Amino acid sequence: MFPTTVGHLMQPDQADAARHIVSLVLAILGAVFSVWILKVGIFLTGSCLGLATVVCLRQLLEVLHVVTLTHSSVALVYVCAATGFGVGALYFERPIIIAVSATAGSFLFCAGAKQWRGRQLEKLSRADDTTFEKLVE
């Protein structure tokens, strides 16, 4: 008999059994927690797609002068879209994740192109004719 952290005076077989039971319980809790975290991540991914969709549609509708939304209705639309797309992402995981990846990638590409083009136009506005020829080459 020897002292262990599981019990003061346990037999070696009992101590091993207790360690196995504790390990098994912690493994099950870890598995449940990881599945829950995965579902939360998928919900948040869908919510991001919903928010991006509403932002794009709102800007399009305002440019076309179709509708002008007030601040209170915009907040309600954002919450409904985020929740709706989040719940939809839980049911349609693969297509939503693909759509979010494509949307984020195209947005980052366009934002980078806009930054690069803006810097090039800024250089041109401060440059003479020889600088333009260097940029074209």
Side-chain angles (χ1 to χ4, degrees):
M1 296 171 51
F2 59 92
T4 65
T5 57
V6 177
H8 289 291
L9 297 173
M10 292 185 129
Q11 297 294 330
D13 293 337
Q14 291 175 338
D16 286 342
R19 286 188 188 105
H20 290 301
I21 290 172
V22 169
S23 297
L24 185 63
V25 169
L26 290 177
I28 291 171
L29 288 175
V32 169
F33 184 69
S34 66
V35 168
W36 180 76
I37 288 291
L38 176 69
K39 294 297 182 185
V40 168
I42 291 171
F43 179 85
L44 291 176
T45 302
S47 295
C48 289
L49 180 64
L51 291 175
T53 303
V54 169
V55 167
C56 291
L57 287 176
R58 180 178 175 213
Q59 290 177 354
L60 178 68
L61 291 176
E62 286 182 1
V63 166
L64 296 176
H65 301 291
V66 174
V67 67
T68 304
L69 299 172
T70 62
H71 291 294
S72 60
S73 63
V74 168
L76 181 63
V77 169
Y78 283 157
V79 169
C80 289
T83 306
F85 274 80
V87 170
L90 292 175
Y91 291 106
F92 305 107
E93 291 179 12
R94 186 170 293 177
I96 294 291
I97 290 173
I98 291 170
V100 169
S101 300
T103 304
S106 64
F107 172 76
L108 292 174
F109 176 78
C110 292
K114 181 181 175 186
Q115 284 291 104
W116 180 80
R117 183 172 179 244
R119 289 185 184 148
Q120 297 302 319
L121 292 176
E122 193 175 295
K123 287 179 184 177
L124 285 176
S125 67
R126 290 184 272 142
D128 55 0
D129 293 334
T130 57
T131 308
F132 178 71
E133 292 169 1
K134 289 178 186 176
L135 285 174
V136 173
E137 293 174 356

Coordinates of all heavy atoms in Angstrom, one line a residue, residues 7-56:
G7 N -6.2 8.7 -3.4 CA -6.7 8.3 -2.1 C -5.5 8.1 -1.2 O -4.4 7.9 -1.7
H8 N -5.7 8.1 0.1 CA -4.5 8.0 1.0 C -4.0 6.6 1.0 O -2.8 6.4 0.8 CB -4.9 8.5 2.4 CG -5.1 10.0 2.5 ND1 -4.0 10.8 2.3 CD2 -6.2 10.7 2.6 CE1 -4.5 12.1 2.4 NE2 -5.8 12.0 2.6
L9 N -4.8 5.6 1.3 CA -4.3 4.3 1.4 C -5.0 3.3 0.5 O -5.9 2.6 0.9 CB -4.4 3.8 2.9 CG -3.6 4.6 3.9 CD1 -4.0 4.1 5.3 CD2 -2.1 4.4 3.6
M10 N -4.8 3.4 -0.8 CA -5.4 2.6 -1.8 C -4.5 1.5 -2.3 O -3.3 1.6 -2.3 CB -5.8 3.4 -3.0 CG -6.9 4.5 -2.8 SD -7.3 5.2 -4.4 CE -9.0 5.1 -4.4
Q11 N -5.1 0.4 -2.7 CA -4.4 -0.6 -3.3 C -3.9 -0.2 -4.7 O -4.5 0.7 -5.3 CB -5.3 -1.9 -3.5 CG -5.8 -2.4 -2.2 CD -4.6 -3.0 -1.3 OE1 -3.6 -3.5 -1.9 NE2 -4.8 -3.0 0.0
P12 N -2.8 -0.7 -5.2 CA -2.4 -0.3 -6.6 C -3.4 -0.5 -7.7 O -3.5 0.4 -8.5 CB -1.1 -1.2 -6.8 CG -0.7 -1.6 -5.4 CD -1.9 -1.6 -4.6
D13 N -4.2 -1.5 -7.6 CA -5.2 -1.7 -8.6 C -6.3 -0.7 -8.5 O -6.9 -0.2 -9.5 CB -5.8 -3.1 -8.5 CG -4.8 -4.2 -8.8 OD1 -3.8 -3.9 -9.6 OD2 -5.0 -5.3 -8.3
Q14 N -6.7 -0.3 -7.3 CA -7.7 0.7 -7.1 C -7.3 2.1 -7.6 O -8.0 2.8 -8.2 CB -8.1 0.8 -5.6 CG -8.8 -0.4 -5.1 CD -9.1 -0.3 -3.6 OE1 -8.4 0.4 -2.9 NE2 -10.1 -1.1 -3.2
A15 N -6.0 2.4 -7.4 CA -5.5 3.7 -7.8 C -5.5 3.8 -9.3 O -5.8 4.8 -9.9 CB -4.1 3.9 -7.3
D16 N -5.1 2.7 -10.0 CA -5.1 2.7 -11.5 C -6.5 2.8 -12.0 O -6.8 3.5 -13.0 CB -4.4 1.4 -12.0 CG -2.9 1.4 -11.8 OD1 -2.4 2.5 -11.6 OD2 -2.3 0.3 -11.9
A17 N -7.4 2.1 -11.4 CA -8.8 2.2 -11.8 C -9.4 3.6 -11.6 O -10.1 4.1 -12.5 CB -9.7 1.2 -11.0
A18 N -9.0 4.2 -10.5 CA -9.5 5.6 -10.3 C -8.9 6.5 -11.4 O -9.6 7.4 -11.9 CB -9.1 6.0 -8.9
R19 N -7.6 6.4 -11.7 CA -7.0 7.2 -12.7 C -7.7 7.0 -14.1 O -7.9 7.9 -14.8 CB -5.5 6.9 -12.8 CG -4.7 7.4 -11.6 CD -3.2 7.3 -11.9 NE -2.5 7.6 -10.7 CZ -2.0 6.8 -9.8 NH1 -2.0 5.5 -10.0 NH2 -1.3 7.2 -8.7
H20 N -8.0 5.8 -14.4 CA -8.6 5.5 -15.7 C -10.0 6.1 -15.7 O -10.4 6.6 -16.8 CB -8.7 3.9 -15.9 CG -7.4 3.3 -16.2 ND1 -6.6 3.7 -17.2 CD2 -6.7 2.3 -15.5 CE1 -5.5 2.9 -17.2 NE2 -5.6 2.1 -16.2
I21 N -10.7 6.0 -14.6 CA -12.1 6.6 -14.6 C -12.0 8.1 -14.8 O -12.8 8.7 -15.5 CB -12.8 6.2 -13.3 CG1 -13.2 4.7 -13.4 CG2 -14.1 7.0 -13.1 CD1 -13.7 4.2 -12.1
V22 N -11.1 8.8 -14.1 CA -10.9 10.2 -14.2 C -10.5 10.6 -15.6 O -11.0 11.5 -16.2 CB -9.9 10.7 -13.1 CG1 -9.5 12.2 -13.4 CG2 -10.5 10.6 -11.7
S23 N -9.6 9.8 -16.2 CA -9.2 10.1 -17.6 C -10.3 10.0 -18.5 O -10.5 10.8 -19.5 CB -8.1 9.2 -18.0 OG -6.9 9.4 -17.2
L24 N -11.2 8.9 -18.3 CA -12.3 8.7 -19.2 C -13.3 9.8 -19.1 O -13.8 10.3 -20.1 CB -12.9 7.4 -18.9 CG -14.1 6.9 -19.8 CD1 -13.6 6.7 -21.2 CD2 -14.7 5.7 -19.3
V25 N -13.6 10.3 -17.9 CA -14.6 11.4 -17.7 C -14.1 12.6 -18.3 O -14.8 13.4 -19.0 CB -14.9 11.5 -16.2 CG1 -15.6 12.8 -15.9 CG2 -15.7 10.3 -15.6
L26 N -12.8 13.0 -18.1 CA -12.2 14.2 -18.7 C -12.2 14.1 -20.2 O -12.4 15.1 -20.9 CB -10.8 14.4 -18.2 CG -10.8 14.8 -16.7 CD1 -9.3 15.0 -16.2 CD2 -11.5 16.1 -16.5
A27 N -11.9 12.9 -20.8 CA -11.9 12.8 -22.3 C -13.3 13.0 -22.8 O -13.5 13.7 -23.9 CB -11.5 11.4 -22.6
I28 N -14.4 12.5 -22.1 CA -15.7 12.7 -22.6 C -16.1 14.2 -22.5 O -16.7 14.7 -23.4 CB -16.7 11.8 -21.8 CG1 -16.5 10.4 -22.2 CG2 -18.2 12.2 -22.0 CD1 -17.2 9.4 -21.3
L29 N -15.7 14.8 -21.4 CA -16.0 16.3 -21.3 C -15.3 17.1 -22.4 O -15.8 18.0 -22.9 CB -15.6 16.8 -19.9 CG -16.5 16.3 -18.7 CD1 -15.9 16.8 -17.4 CD2 -17.9 16.9 -18.9
G30 N -14.1 16.7 -22.7 CA -13.3 17.4 -23.7 C -13.9 17.2 -25.1 O -14.0 18.2 -25.9
A31 N -14.4 16.0 -25.4 CA -15.1 15.8 -26.7 C -16.4 16.6 -26.8 O -16.6 17.2 -27.8 CB -15.4 14.3 -26.8
V32 N -17.2 16.6 -25.7 CA -18.4 17.4 -25.8 C -18.1 18.9 -25.9 O -18.7 19.6 -26.7 CB -19.2 17.1 -24.5 CG1 -20.4 18.1 -24.4 CG2 -19.8 15.7 -24.5
F33 N -17.1 19.4 -25.2 CA -16.7 20.8 -25.3 C -16.2 21.1 -26.7 O -16.5 22.2 -27.3 CB -15.7 21.1 -24.3 CG -15.3 22.6 -24.2 CD1 -16.2 23.5 -23.8 CD2 -14.0 23.0 -24.6 CE1 -15.8 24.8 -23.7 CE2 -13.7 24.3 -24.6 CZ -14.6 25.2 -24.1
S34 N -15.4 20.2 -27.3 CA -14.9 20.5 -28.7 C -16.0 20.5 -29.7 O -16.0 21.4 -30.6 CB -13.8 19.5 -29.0 OG -14.3 18.2 -29.2
V35 N -17.0 19.7 -29.6 CA -18.1 19.7 -30.5 C -18.9 21.0 -30.3 O -19.4 21.6 -31.3 CB -19.0 18.5 -30.3 CG1 -20.3 18.6 -31.1 CG2 -18.3 17.2 -30.8
W36 N -19.1 21.4 -29.1 CA -19.8 22.7 -28.8 C -19.1 23.9 -29.4 O -19.7 24.7 -30.1 CB -20.0 22.8 -27.3 CG -20.7 24.1 -27.0 CD1 -22.1 24.3 -27.1 CD2 -20.2 25.3 -26.5 NE1 -22.4 25.6 -26.7 CE2 -21.2 26.2 -26.3 CE3 -18.9 25.7 -26.2 CZ2 -21.0 27.5 -25.8 CZ3 -18.7 26.9 -25.7 CH2 -19.7 27.9 -25.5
I37 N -17.8 23.9 -29.3 CA -16.9 25.0 -29.8 C -17.0 25.0 -31.3 O -17.1 26.1 -32.0 CB -15.5 24.9 -29.3 CG1 -15.4 25.2 -27.9 CG2 -14.5 25.7 -30.2 CD1 -15.6 26.7 -27.6
L38 N -17.1 23.8 -32.0 CA -17.2 23.7 -33.4 C -18.5 24.3 -33.9 O -18.6 25.1 -34.8 CB -17.1 22.3 -33.9 CG -17.3 22.0 -35.4 CD1 -16.1 22.6 -36.2 CD2 -17.4 20.6 -35.6
K39 N -19.6 24.0 -33.2 CA -20.9 24.5 -33.5 C -21.0 26.0 -33.4 O -21.6 26.8 -34.2 CB -22.0 23.8 -32.7 CG -22.2 22.4 -33.0 CD -22.6 22.2 -34.5 CE -22.8 20.7 -34.7 NZ -23.1 20.4 -36.1
V40 N -20.4 26.5 -32.3 CA -20.3 28.0 -32.1 C -19.5 28.7 -33.2 O -20.0 29.7 -33.7 CB -19.7 28.3 -30.7 CG1 -19.4 29.8 -30.5 CG2 -20.7 27.9 -29.6
G41 N -18.4 28.1 -33.6 CA -17.6 28.6 -34.7 C -18.4 28.7 -36.0 O -18.3 29.6 -36.8
I42 N -19.1 27.6 -36.3 CA -19.9 27.6 -37.5 C -21.0 28.6 -37.5 O -21.3 29.3 -38.5 CB -20.5 26.1 -37.7 CG1 -19.3 25.2 -38.1 CG2 -21.5 26.1 -38.8 CD1 -19.7 23.8 -38.1
F43 N -21.7 28.8 -36.3 CA -22.7 29.8 -36.2 C -22.1 31.2 -36.4 O -22.7 32.0 -37.1 CB -23.3 29.7 -34.8 CG -24.4 30.7 -34.5 CD1 -25.7 30.5 -35.0 CD2 -24.1 31.9 -33.9 CE1 -26.7 31.5 -34.7 CE2 -25.1 32.9 -33.7 CZ -26.4 32.7 -34.1
L44 N -21.0 31.5 -35.8 CA -20.3 32.8 -36.0 C -19.9 33.0 -37.4 O -20.0 34.1 -37.9 CB -19.2 32.9 -35.0 CG -19.5 33.0 -33.5 CD1 -18.3 33.1 -32.7 CD2 -20.4 34.2 -33.3
T45 N -19.5 32.0 -38.1 CA -19.1 32.1 -39.5 C -20.3 32.5 -40.3 O -20.2 33.4 -41.2 CB -18.5 30.7 -40.0 OG1 -17.4 30.4 -39.2 CG2 -18.1 30.8 -41.5
G46 N -21.4 31.8 -40.1 CA -22.7 32.2 -40.8 C -23.1 33.6 -40.5 O -23.6 34.3 -41.3
S47 N -23.0 34.0 -39.2 CA -23.3 35.4 -38.8 C -22.5 36.4 -39.5 O -23.0 37.4 -40.0 CB -23.2 35.5 -37.3 OG -24.1 34.7 -36.6
C48 N -21.2 36.1 -39.7 CA -20.4 37.1 -40.4 C -20.8 37.2 -41.9 O -20.8 38.3 -42.5 CB -18.9 36.6 -40.4 SG -18.2 36.8 -38.8
L49 N -21.2 36.1 -42.5 CA -21.7 36.1 -43.9 C -23.0 36.9 -43.9 O -23.2 37.7 -44.9 CB -21.9 34.7 -44.4 CG -22.5 34.7 -45.9 CD1 -21.5 35.3 -46.8 CD2 -22.8 33.3 -46.2
G50 N -23.9 36.8 -43.0 CA -25.1 37.5 -42.9 C -24.9 39.0 -42.8 O -25.5 39.8 -43.5
L51 N -23.9 39.4 -41.9 CA -23.6 40.8 -41.8 C -23.0 41.4 -43.0 O -23.3 42.5 -43.4 CB -22.7 41.0 -40.6 CG -23.3 40.7 -39.2 CD1 -22.2 40.8 -38.1 CD2 -24.5 41.7 -38.9
A52 N -22.1 40.7 -43.7 CA -21.5 41.1 -44.9 C -22.5 41.3 -46.0 O -22.5 42.3 -46.8 CB -20.4 40.2 -45.3
T53 N -23.5 40.4 -46.1 CA -24.6 40.5 -47.1 C -25.4 41.7 -46.8 O -25.7 42.4 -47.8 CB -25.4 39.2 -47.0 OG1 -24.6 38.0 -47.2 CG2 -26.5 39.2 -48.0
V54 N -25.8 42.0 -45.6 CA -26.6 43.1 -45.3 C -25.9 44.4 -45.6 O -26.4 45.4 -46.2 CB -27.1 43.1 -43.9 CG1 -27.7 44.4 -43.5 CG2 -28.1 42.0 -43.6
V55 N -24.6 44.5 -45.3 CA -23.8 45.7 -45.6 C -23.8 45.9 -47.1 O -24.0 47.1 -47.6 CB -22.4 45.6 -45.0 CG1 -21.5 46.6 -45.5 CG2 -22.4 45.6 -43.5
C56 N -23.5 44.9 -47.9 CA -23.5 45.0 -49.3 C -24.8 45.4 -49.9 O -24.9 46.3 -50.7 CB -23.0 43.8 -50.0 SG -21.2 43.4 -49.6

